[in-house]
Amino acid sequence: MTTPPGHVSIVGAGPGDPGLLTVRAWHRLREADVVFADGLVPDAILALAPQARRVSVSRRSAHDVPPAAVAALIADAAALGQRVVRLRAGDPFVLARGAEEALALAEAGVPFEVVPGLSSALAAPSLASIPLTHRGLASAFVVVSGHAPASYAPVLRALPPDAVTVVVLMGLAQRAVIAETLLDAGWRHSTPAAVVVSAGWPEERHWYGTLGGLAEGEPPIDAADPGVIVIGGVVGLADLLDHARARRPAEPARFAQTAGAGRWARAPIGQE
Amino acid sequence: MTTPPGHVSIVGAGPGDPGLLTVRAWHRLREADVVFADGLVPDAILALAPQARRVSVSRRSAHDVPPAAVAALIADAAALGQRVVRLRAGDPFVLARGAEEALALAEAGVPFEVVPGLSSALAAPSLASIPLTHRGLASAFVVVSGHAPASYAPVLRALPPDAVTVVVLMGLAQRAVIAETLLDAGWRHSTPAAVVVSAGWPEERHWYGTLGGLAEGEPPIDAADPGVIVIGGVVGLADLLDHARARRPAEPARFAQTAGAGRWARAPIGQE
C-alpha cells in the first residue's frame, strides 16, 4: 500500500481495454477505497478494484451529475481518509469535464493528482491501424468535439484542405454535417475516412470509406454508440498495416484478474 | 510467459515516467528477448526488461537508423523466434516514423502488433496541469510538428485566432517563429503559453508565460531539449489546478526555477 489515506486521483481509464490502462492507474485502482466512475468505463476495468465501493456518476444517465456535485462527493470521501479514484473514460483533460471537476476540487481546497490516460482521440485511430501523421501525408492533426457545429465548424472550415488529419470525438450523429463542412471547404470526396466504434471494447469495429461516403450518412450505425471519426490521407495506410497485424497474445493472469479480461485480448479486427 | 516466440510489438513508451507505461507495454517488456529502443526512452523503462538484449536505434544519434533498416533487424530477430519489442518514446503513430517502420515490416511479411502509448502531445500538458479543452475556452486542439515552417505554418496561419489550443512537438528551436506566425494571424500577445521540458523525466520543468513572451525567445532554454509548447486560454487554468495538486506518493520534491518574465514551476514527477 503506497497510496496514503485521503489521497484523491483523477484517473484516465483509456479507451476501455484494461491492457491500455497505465501502470499508475492500475496501482491507484488496486488501492482505492472508493471509485467514482462514469458510464463509459467497462466492468473489466472496475473489476481491478474489487475492494472499493463503486459510485456511478454516469455520463450516460439522463441526468448527468454536475462537476461541482461530483467534487463534493470526492471531498467528503477524502475527508474521511478514503483513497479516492475518480475514473474517467479516456483522458480526464481531453474533451471531458475533467477540468471542471478538478477546478471544483481546487476551489474546495482538496488536493488531487491527475493520472493521464490514453485518449480515444489517439488510441482509436491506432487500434484501427491508422497513424495520425505520416511523412508526405500529414504532419499535423486536429481533434474536435463533434457534438455541435459551434464546436467544430469554425476550425474545420479554416483548415487547409486535405493537409491535416482530422479526428472527431462524439460526432457520429453529426457525421454527414461534419463531412459536408469539409467538402464545402474544398476537401476531396475521395479523401479516406474511417469510423472506429467502441474502440477498446469487445464490440469494437471499424468502418473504412471516404469523406463523400460520410457525407451521405455512411456507415449505417447507431449514432448513440461511442465512436471516433478519422479523416485524411493517413486513413489510406490502414489497409496495408492492418493485414500485417499480429495475433495479440493473452494478458498474463496477474493483470487479467477478472473473468472478462481475457476477452479483451481479442482486439481489433479478427484477432483470436 | 504468454508472449509467443517470434512475436513483434511496436510499443509506445509514453513520455518517460514508468508509471505512465500501459499495462500491456509493461508485459511486453517483461517478456522480451530483444528491445530496439530509441534514445528518448529512459533507463528506468529499459530496466523493466533486464533479461532482454538492448539495441539502440537512437533518434539522437548523428546517423538515424532508417526505418527499413530497423525493420530488417526486427525481422531477423523475429525469424530466430525472439520476442521483439520496438520501443518508441510517446506513441508510435504520432509524429514519429513508427508508421514507416510498420509499413516496412508489412512489406517484409512480418506480423506485428501496435501497443499505443501516451503521446507527449497530450501527456505533457496534463503533467503541467493544462487541460487541452475546457468549456468556454477551447473545444478543439491542434497538434503540429514544430521542426520546420513547412510543417506548421499552413495550419497555424489558418486557425481561427485564440479559439483552439495549439500543441507543438519538436518546436523549441522554432518557438519565436511559431509564436510570430500566430501573432501575424491575429492571436493576442497576452494569450497564455507554456513550455513543458522533459515531460515525464526526473528533470521535468514547466514554464508559463505568454505568446508574446515566446515570440521574444522565452523561455531561456537549450532548444535541443525535448519540449512541448502549449498555446491557448486553457494554459491559464494551470495556476489554479497546479496549486491544488496533491503530492504524489513517494515522489521527491522539486523546486521552481525563475527565469525571464514567465515563471518556471515545480514539476510533479514521481515514482511508483
Side-chain angles (χ1 to χ4, degrees):
Chain A
M1 183 70 72
T2 57
T3 311
H7 187 76
V8 176
S9 290
I10 302 176
V11 172
D17 178 341
L20 298 180
L21 274 178
T22 64
V23 171
R24 182 164 298 136
W26 189 89
H27 281 299
R28 294 295 180 266
L29 284 169
R30 296 285 295 171
E31 300 183 342
D33 296 307
V34 56
V35 175
F36 296 89
D38 65 50
L40 296 172
V41 177
D43 289 342
I45 287 179
L46 292 171
L48 297 172
Q51 79 293 346
R53 186 165 61 92
R54 295 184 201 172
V55 182
S56 174
V57 286
S58 177
R59 283 207 289 174
R60 278 179 168 167
S61 69
H63 304 284
D64 273 8
V65 183
V70 177
L73 293 173
I74 292 170
D76 289 348
L80 294 174
Q82 298 187 327
R83 297 169 184 87
V84 180
V85 168
R86 170 63 173 111
L87 193 60
R88 304 190 69 106
D91 182 90
F93 277 0
V94 174
L95 294 181
R97 301 181 75 180
E100 292 175 66
E101 276 178 26
L103 287 169
L105 286 172
E107 275 173 33
V110 179
F112 58 87
E113 69 167 352
V114 176
V115 180
L118 281 179
S119 169
S120 60
L122 279 66
S126 179
L127 293 170
S129 302
I130 302 165
L132 286 178
T133 59
H134 188 70
R135 191 167 291 218
L137 289 174
S139 62
F141 63 96
V142 177
V143 178
V144 301
S145 166
H147 76 282
S151 295
Y152 59 78
V155 179
L156 297 188
R157 279 195 206 112
L159 294 174
D162 286 302
V164 183
T165 305
V166 172
V167 179
V168 185
L169 301 189
M170 299 173 283
L172 286 196
Q174 298 264 333
R175 61 192 182 278
V177 184
I178 290 164
E180 286 291 355
T181 303
L182 290 171
L183 292 171
D184 288 348
W187 292 58
R188 288 189 299 266
H189 278 73
S190 60
T191 300
V195 173
V196 189
V197 180
S198 300
W201 290 61
E203 57 269 35
E204 174 178 325
R205 56 199 195 280
H206 311 150
W207 170 87
Y208 300 95
T210 63
L211 187 57
L214 271 186
E216 286 159 17
E218 287 188 61
I221 45 174
D222 181 352
D225 282 344
V228 177
I229 303 170
V230 194
I231 300 163
V234 291
V235 175
L237 300 174
D239 197 44
L240 259 175
L241 291 170
D242 187 49
H243 280 103
R245 286 256 166 158
R247 182 186 156 86
R248 179 175 299 154
E251 303 294 339
R254 181 161 167 195
F255 277 112
Q257 302 208 342
T258 69
R263 293 179 296 132
W264 293 96
R266 180 186 69 80
I269 12 184
Q271 295 177 17
E272 232 180 44
Chain B
M1 184 72 69
T2 59
T3 310
H7 186 76
V8 176
S9 290
I10 302 177
V11 173
D17 179 340
L20 297 180
L21 273 179
T22 64
V23 169
R24 182 162 299 134
W26 188 88
H27 281 300
R28 295 294 180 266
L29 284 168
R30 297 282 292 177
E31 300 183 342
D33 295 308
V34 57
V35 175
F36 295 90
D38 64 50
L40 297 171
V41 177
D43 289 341
I45 287 179
L46 292 171
L48 297 173
Q51 79 293 346
R53 186 167 60 93
R54 295 184 201 170
V55 181
S56 174
V57 285
S58 176
R59 283 207 289 175
R60 279 178 169 168
S61 70
H63 304 283
D64 274 7
V65 183
V70 177
L73 293 173
I74 292 171
D76 290 347
L80 293 175
Q82 299 189 325
R83 297 168 184 87
V84 180
V85 168
R86 169 62 173 113
L87 194 60
R88 303 190 69 106
D91 182 89
F93 277 1
V94 174
L95 295 181
R97 300 181 76 178
E100 291 174 67
E101 277 177 25
L103 287 168
L105 286 172
E107 275 173 35
V110 179
F112 59 87
E113 68 167 353
V114 176
V115 180
L118 283 179
S119 169
S120 60
L122 278 68
S126 178
L127 293 171
S129 301
I130 301 166
L132 285 178
T133 60
H134 189 68
R135 193 165 290 218
L137 288 174
S139 62
F141 64 95
V142 177
V143 178
V144 301
S145 166
H147 75 282
S151 295
Y152 60 76
V155 179
L156 297 188
R157 280 194 205 113
L159 294 173
D162 286 303
V164 182
T165 305
V166 172
V167 179
V168 185
L169 301 189
M170 299 173 284
L172 287 196
Q174 298 263 332
R175 62 193 181 277
V177 183
I178 289 165
E180 285 292 356
T181 302
L182 291 171
L183 291 171
D184 288 348
W187 292 57
R188 288 189 299 267
H189 277 73
S190 60
T191 300
V195 173
V196 189
V197 180
S198 301
W201 289 61
E203 57 268 33
E204 175 179 325
R205 56 200 196 280
H206 312 150
W207 171 87
Y208 301 96
T210 63
L211 188 56
L214 270 186
E216 287 159 18
E218 287 191 60
I221 46 175
D222 181 352
D225 282 345
V228 177
I229 302 170
V230 194
I231 300 163
V234 292
V235 176
L237 299 173
D239 198 43
L240 259 174
L241 291 171
D242 188 50
H243 280 102
R245 286 258 164 153
R247 205 180 144 75
R248 180 170 299 151
E251 85 183 1
R254 295 183 194 287
F255 298 99
Q257 308 169 42
T258 306
R263 117 191 121 73
W264 288 98
R266 167 187 170 280
I269 290 295
Q271 320 275 328
E272 279 313 309

